[in-house]
């Protein structure tokens, strides 16, 4: 059975406020551009690339936003636990509990791209211990399982 810890999943304005507080607590500024990137990423509801986010902001602000600027912000968000990178999709998702730092597991559907985030500290702690035994110091384990979601598997 998976060990879980208490954290509350937020969304909308509450999630943006939690992200802002977490970023400021980390000594960074919550700029209008960072707020726009976070809001755009959160609105996708699926993993989104920097290009997706840049295009979304460009449309909403009727001005061109460069993907390289978005990449820098997304990298900061990952470093400060506001977003997570889904490696197999080369994309990002918002962290729905930015005040809670732990390793995550992503289930990525090969059919529709839906990505589900699950927490299993027993499993991720085991991965960290195995890395330690191999003489490797893990920084941020990334565990992704590709397959078919319930809807795609039924079709």
């Amino acid at each position: 059975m998976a060990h879980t810890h208490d954290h509350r999943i937020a969304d909308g304005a509450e999630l943006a406020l939690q992200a802002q507080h977490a970023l400021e607590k980390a000594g960074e500024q919550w700029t209008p551009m960072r707020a726009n990137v976070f809001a755009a990423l959160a609105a996708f509801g699926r993993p989104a690339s920097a290009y997706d986010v840049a295009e979304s902001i460009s449309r909403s602000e009727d001005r061109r936003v460069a993907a390289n600027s978005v990449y820098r912000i997304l990298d900061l968000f990952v470093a400060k636990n506001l977003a997570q990178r889904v490696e197999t999709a080369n994309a990002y998702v918002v962290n729905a509990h930015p005040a809670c730092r732990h390793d995550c597991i992503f289930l990525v559907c090969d059919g529709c791209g839906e990505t589900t985030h699950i927490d299993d500290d027993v499993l991720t702690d085991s991965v960290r211990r195995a890395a330690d035994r191999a003489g490797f110091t893990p920084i941020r384990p990334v565990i992704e399982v590709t397959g078919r979601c319930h809807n795609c598997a039924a079709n």
Side-chain angles (χ1 to χ4, degrees):
M1 181 165 151
H3 166 71
T4 59
H5 52 273
D6 293 330
H7 59 262
R8 204 165 54 78
I9 305 296
D11 61 6
E14 180 185 355
L15 176 58
L17 188 58
Q18 285 183 19
Q20 178 180 354
H21 288 176
L23 193 63
E24 290 172 344
K25 185 177 179 181
E28 299 286 345
Q29 292 183 335
W30 185 256
T31 65
M33 183 61 177
R34 289 175 180 176
N36 288 343
V37 168
F38 190 84
L41 183 61
F44 274 95
R46 62 169 174 76
S49 71
Y51 291 97
D52 294 333
V53 173
E55 184 178 312
S56 174
I57 296 169
S58 294
R59 276 194 316 269
S60 69
E61 294 194 358
D62 199 30
R63 68 178 179 92
R64 185 180 175 283
V65 174
N68 62 347
S69 298
V70 172
Y71 267 117
R72 284 193 296 274
I73 293 171
L74 290 171
D75 287 344
L76 172 69
F77 286 176
V78 169
K80 302 303 180 188
N81 200 42
L82 304 185
Q84 292 138 350
R85 183 176 157 90
V86 180
E87 303 290 334
T88 55
N90 191 23
Y92 301 82
V93 294
V94 295
N95 181 354
H97 41 87
C100 179
R101 183 170 289 278
H102 58 90
D103 301 323
C104 298
I105 302 166
F106 291 110
L107 308 177
V108 182
C109 179
D110 290 330
C112 67
E114 177 183 340
T115 300
T116 303
H117 160 245
I118 61 173
D119 298 330
D120 186 333
D121 293 333
V122 172
L123 178 60
T124 56
D125 287 348
S126 179
V127 169
R128 285 181 172 275
R129 284 191 306 277
D132 287 339
R133 285 191 304 272
F136 186 82
T137 303
I139 303 291
R140 186 181 61 91
V142 175
I143 301 172
E144 297 181 18
V145 179
T146 59
R148 307 288 275 176
C149 71
H150 177 73
N151 290 335
C152 289
N155 293 330

